[in-house]
């Protein structure tokens, strides 16, 4: 793509890891061959330069032209040609007083370059594909379990890890048990707000009575005249509730999923056989929720969906990410959270084998472990499984078994269940792979949840206080004595992956982050127009809960 505008020049430079003087950008943009000149300016700049200056550009202009495109470094040219194809999702801060920092390299350059002034000529936060990491100030950098010595992470405490706790055998009464537990815990969250009337005693209240009740959504149907009939179930039975189509709350019916827990208030019909609904309540996150933050400046990289073993795994992007973690700039990144799909797995989807680079699942984990060794040894790593990993598919998914742990042991990662609540320097991070996001996106209208704005689908899960409400659809739920998928405590950060799209925003002050992936578009994704956000690492400031997204492709 030609670099005809200044903003594209800035974006390209940012991707290459440079700030730029405004005048340097103008010089490049107005030249006959901006792409080449940009490339040359980068070449003449010293290795440790952070800013491309007018002098660099002039020196480049004075050099003999280098017409041979073969001389253009691959990574660099792909970064430059990639200009403008970055994700379009903008950070969303619904309900937040403090919008998420939009320091996304591509995002911020797009805005800033248009508004750049002499006083603020430079744009930061690029990474530098294809270049060796900046000088680390004489500190020896080694890979694979080595220690630079500057990081001092505290091993995160994990609540709700059900690894080794599974009691389910799949018997019918266990399904009854898990739903009873769900109902008890989520209705407990709603009890303070409504005066619950058990389903089997509503009728006896008599026509015209005010009714409040809490139940799991058992059925949602539209009536012949277009109203909504919602059947709620509690431990005593079911009761039909009618939402009239012309009420404001009819809009909320779109958000309902089967098996989620809600409360309604309304009026009993004259014949006492149905409740006319006036209000629908969700367990939800209080609007006044105030997240905790770390008491020092420390960061965490939130990633997922590495998919090692797939032909589309982006090994180069991963290495750039790992290299960057070894730089001084990344010294404060002390934690790496990986929300599932470490490997591509085997037999996950039809015809998946045609795109496998490594066909043996154990070999896939061996290779994944090698890539993990590229990550600095003094970082704390926490990982949960996803639907491509070698654990049971039904959720909650226990953490990897001993054999896989052994394979991945070099870095001594914490391997826990999906979902898990992880305490990182006082910030509680709910990690969940995200299979239910497919379901939320399929069931809800696009403005409430879509692949382009995956964080909005995450808001729905926070609102329902359950990571996978609907049972029996795409999401498989394992029967356990306890419903591990209920969100008991409000997390400070909610981290998911799975849909391979990058998106983040705040919901009632909780930061929802869906990390992208490290796998380029697969044939299947191409056939259904899924355009993955591959090679990005969202970096979270644990002391401010601000986010920066770094790009490594
Ligand atoms: O899935 C990544 C995303 O792509 C997620 O939204 C599901 C979707 N996906 C990928 N392959 C398939 C097939 N074969 N059928 C249906 N949906 C699919 P992940 O599971 O993380 O690879
Ligand atoms: Fe995935
Ligand atoms: Zn997945």
């Amino acid at each position: 793509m030609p670099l005809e505008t200044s903003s594209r020049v800035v974006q390209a430079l940012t991707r290459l890891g440079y700030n730029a003087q405004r005048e340097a950008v103008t010089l490049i943009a107005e030249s006959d061959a901006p792409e080449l000149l940009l490339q040359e300016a980068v070449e003449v700049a010293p290795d440790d330069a952070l800013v491309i200056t007018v002098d660099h550009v002039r020196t480049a202009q004075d050099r003999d032209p280098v017409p041979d495109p073969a001389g253009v470094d691959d990574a660099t040219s792909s970064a430059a040609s990639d200009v403008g194809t970055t994700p379009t999702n903008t950070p969303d801060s619904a309900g937040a007083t403090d919008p998420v920092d939009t320091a996304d390299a591509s995002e911020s350059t797009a805005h800033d370059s248009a508004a750049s002034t002499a006083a603020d000529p430079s744009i930061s936060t690029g990474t530098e594909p294809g270049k060796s990491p900046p000088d680390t100030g004489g500190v020896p950098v080694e890979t694979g379990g080595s220690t630079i010595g500057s990081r001092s992470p505290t091993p995160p405490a994990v609540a709700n890890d059900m690894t080794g706790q599974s009691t389910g055998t799949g018997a019918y009464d266990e399904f009854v048990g898990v739903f009873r537990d769900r109902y008890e815990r989520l209705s407990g969250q709603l009890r303070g707000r409504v005066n619950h009337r058990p389903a089997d005693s509503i009728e006896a209240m008599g026509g015209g009575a005010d009714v409040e009740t809490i139940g799991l959504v058992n059925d949602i149907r539209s009536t012949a005249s277009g109203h909504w009939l919602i059947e709620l179930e509690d431990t005593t039975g079911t009761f039909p509730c009618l939402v009239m189509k012309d009420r404001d709350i009819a809009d909320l019916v779109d958000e309902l999923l089967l098996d989620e827990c809600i409360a309604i208030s309304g009026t009993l019909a004259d014949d006492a056989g149905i409740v006319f609904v006036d209000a629908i309540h969700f367990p939800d996150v209080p609007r006044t929720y105030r997240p905790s933050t770390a008491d020092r400046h420390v960061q965490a990289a939130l990633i997922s969906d590495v998919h090692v073993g797939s032909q589309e795994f982006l090994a180069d992007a991963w290495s750039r990410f790992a290299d960057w973690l070894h730089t001084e700039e990344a010294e404060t990144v002390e934690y790496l959270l990986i929300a599932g799909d470490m490997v591509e797995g085997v037999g996950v989807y039809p015809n998946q084998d045609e795109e496998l680079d490594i066909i043996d699942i154990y070999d896939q984990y061996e290779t994944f472990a090698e890539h993990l060794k590229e990550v600095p040894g003094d970082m704390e790593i926490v990982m949960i499984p996803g639907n491509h990993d070698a654990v049971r598919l039904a959720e909650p998914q226990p953490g990897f078994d001993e054999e896989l742990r052994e394979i991945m042991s070099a870095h001594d990662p914490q391997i826990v269940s999906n979902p898990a609540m992880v305490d990182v320097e006082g910030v509680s991070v709910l990690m969940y792979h995200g299979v239910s996001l497919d379901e939320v996106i399929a069931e809800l209208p696009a403005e409430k949840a879509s692949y382009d704005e995956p964080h909005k689908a995450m808001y729905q899960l926070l609102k329902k206080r359950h990571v996978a409400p609907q049972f029996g659809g795409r999401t498989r739920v394992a029967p356990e004595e306890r419903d591990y998928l209920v969100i008991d405590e409000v997390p400070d950060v909610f981290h998911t992956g799975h849909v391979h799209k990058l998106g983040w925003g705040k919901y009632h002050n909780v930061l929802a982050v869906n990390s992208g992936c490290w796998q380029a578009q697969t044939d299947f994704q191409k056939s259904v127009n899924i355009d993955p956000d591959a090679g990005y690492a969202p970096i979270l400031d644990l002391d401010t809960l601000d986010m920066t997204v770094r790009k490594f492709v």
Side-chain angles (χ1 to χ4, degrees):
M1 185 182 296
L3 289 164
E4 64 281 277
T5 68
S6 297
S7 74
R8 284 189 177 147
V9 171
V10 174
Q11 286 180 21
L13 286 172
T14 304
R15 297 250 177 74
L16 296 170
Y18 292 101
N19 299 338
Q21 280 183 344
R22 178 190 162 96
E23 210 185 320
V25 171
T26 312
L27 270 179
I28 296 173
E30 288 175 352
S31 73
D32 293 339
E35 216 156 339
L36 254 188
L37 183 57
L38 185 152
Q39 179 62 39
E40 290 191 76
V42 166
E43 273 166 25
V44 300
D47 276 346
D48 58 353
L50 296 172
V51 179
I52 295 297
T53 64
V54 176
D55 283 350
H56 297 145
V57 181
R58 294 244 158 87
T59 312
Q61 278 175 324
D62 293 346
R63 283 199 329 181
D64 285 344
V66 185
D68 177 12
V72 176
D73 165 274
D74 260 349
T76 312
S77 67
S78 77
S81 64
D82 198 30
V83 168
T85 61
T86 51
T88 51
N89 38 8
T90 46
D92 184 302
S93 58
T97 50
D98 173 20
V100 179
D101 181 5
T102 57
D104 168 10
S106 48
E107 202 72 45
S108 64
T109 48
H111 298 306
D112 292 356
S113 58
S116 75
T117 64
D120 180 18
S122 61
I123 311 301
S124 66
T125 76
T127 80
E128 208 169 341
K131 257 188 69 170
S132 54
D135 183 18
T136 52
V139 182
V141 174
E142 293 165 55
T143 54
S146 69
T147 303
I148 298 178
S150 52
R151 294 187 176 94
S152 53
T154 311
V158 180
N160 210 25
D161 180 16
M162 51 71 66
T163 308
Q165 312 288 315
S166 178
T167 54
T169 60
Y172 176 77
D173 59 348
E174 290 171 348
F175 282 100
V176 177
V178 79
F179 278 100
R180 189 172 290 261
D181 183 60
R182 174 185 304 195
Y183 179 73
E184 271 161 23
R185 284 160 58 211
L186 288 177
S187 66
Q189 294 186 13
L190 286 157
R191 293 237 180 205
R193 276 175 275 165
V194 296
N195 186 9
H196 170 63
R197 196 43 92 142
D200 68 351
S201 68
I202 294 175
E203 205 170 349
M205 294 171 77
D210 290 338
V211 180
E212 293 183 317
T213 190
I214 306 171
L216 300 185
V217 176
N218 200 36
D219 193 24
I220 310 167
R221 255 176 296 153
S222 65
T223 67
S225 41
H227 304 303
W228 294 102
L229 192 61
I230 299 164
E231 191 176 69
L232 289 187
E233 178 168 11
D234 67 9
T235 49
T236 69
T238 62
F239 207 86
C241 306
L242 193 78
V243 178
M244 308 290 276
K245 64 178 175 198
D246 45 3
R247 302 287 304 263
D248 285 351
I249 54 167
D251 193 40
L252 291 176
V253 177
D254 283 344
E255 293 182 13
L256 294 181
L257 293 178
L258 294 178
D259 310 313
E260 72 170 295
C261 187
I262 59 168
I264 58 99
S265 35
T267 314
L268 200 53
D270 287 346
D271 68 359
I274 199 166
V275 177
F276 295 113
V277 180
D278 292 321
I280 298 176
H281 311 275
F282 295 86
D284 222 325
V285 172
R287 283 180 180 277
T288 52
Y289 182 72
R290 287 283 164 264
S292 304
T293 51
D295 48 22
R296 64 184 184 113
H297 178 57
V298 57
Q299 297 175 303
L302 273 46
I303 64 163
S304 69
D305 298 274
V306 190
H307 289 265
V308 170
S310 158
Q311 285 169 10
E312 284 82 17
F313 166 57
L314 297 171
D316 290 347
W318 176 269
S319 296
R320 276 181 217 120
F321 169 50
D323 283 350
W324 176 73
L325 288 172
H326 283 280
T327 65
E328 231 173 32
E329 188 187 21
E331 258 176 14
T332 47
V333 184
E334 302 198 5
Y335 300 89
L336 176 65
L337 309 185
I338 316 179
D341 287 359
M342 312 300 142
V343 300
E344 174 64 10
V346 176
V348 181
Y349 290 124
N351 303 327
Q352 184 207 18
D353 50 330
E354 290 165 17
E355 289 184 74
L356 283 183
D357 189 32
I358 305 171
I359 51 175
D360 180 88
I361 183 91
Y362 290 101
D363 291 345
Q364 292 182 0
Y365 281 100
E366 298 276 3
T367 308
F368 171 72
E370 289 306 310
H371 288 293
L372 209 54
K373 285 183 197 164
E374 296 172 36
V375 171
D378 56 356
M379 288 181 70
E380 277 288 334
I381 301 178
V382 182
M383 56 171 93
I384 63 169
N387 58 313
H388 284 254
D389 285 300
V391 299
R392 78 173 182 202
L393 200 51
E395 298 173 8
Q397 296 179 286
F400 301 127
D401 66 18
E402 283 312 320
E403 193 170 355
L404 294 178
R405 277 169 201 263
E406 185 56 39
I407 292 174
M408 290 179 271
S409 61
H411 226 299
D412 196 23
Q414 288 211 50
I415 294 177
V416 292
S417 61
N418 169 36
M421 187 78 142
V422 182
D423 182 312
V424 191
E425 301 255 346
V427 177
S428 59
V429 182
L430 173 59
M431 295 177 69
Y432 169 62
H433 177 58
V435 169
S436 70
L437 296 175
D438 280 331
E439 195 126 36
V440 173
I441 290 167
E443 299 279 335
L444 269 58
E447 69 275 12
K448 297 196 177 186
S450 68
Y451 285 107
D452 284 333
E453 295 182 305
H455 48 289
K456 289 194 177 170
M458 299 173 73
Y459 298 169
Q460 291 291 330
L461 301 178
L462 289 168
K463 187 169 180 177
K464 299 171 193 312
R465 294 288 288 268
H466 197 283
V467 297
Q470 189 155 303
F471 175 79
R474 294 166 190 235
T475 324
R476 302 183 199 192
V477 179
E480 297 285 350
E481 274 168 13
R482 180 181 164 78
D483 187 347
Y484 289 94
L485 309 177
V486 169
I487 305 174
D488 277 324
E489 302 290 329
V490 176
D492 301 321
V493 177
F494 184 22
H495 173 204
T496 61
H498 179 63
V499 295
H500 295 204
K501 295 294 271 185
L502 182 62
W504 71 96
K506 281 188 183 172
Y507 178 73
H508 298 183
N509 303 323
V510 176
L511 176 65
V513 184
N514 196 82
S515 34
C517 59
W518 298 86
Q519 180 187 39
Q521 192 179 46
T522 63
D523 282 349
F524 168 83
Q525 290 166 349
K526 197 170 197 169
S527 72
V528 295
N529 257 339
I530 297 177
D531 184 17
D533 292 328
Y536 294 88
I539 309 294
L540 170 67
D541 267 7
L542 291 162
D543 50 338
T544 58
L545 302 190
D546 284 343
M547 277 254 315
T548 310
V549 174
R550 292 197 163 260
K551 185 171 181 183
F552 296 96
V553 281

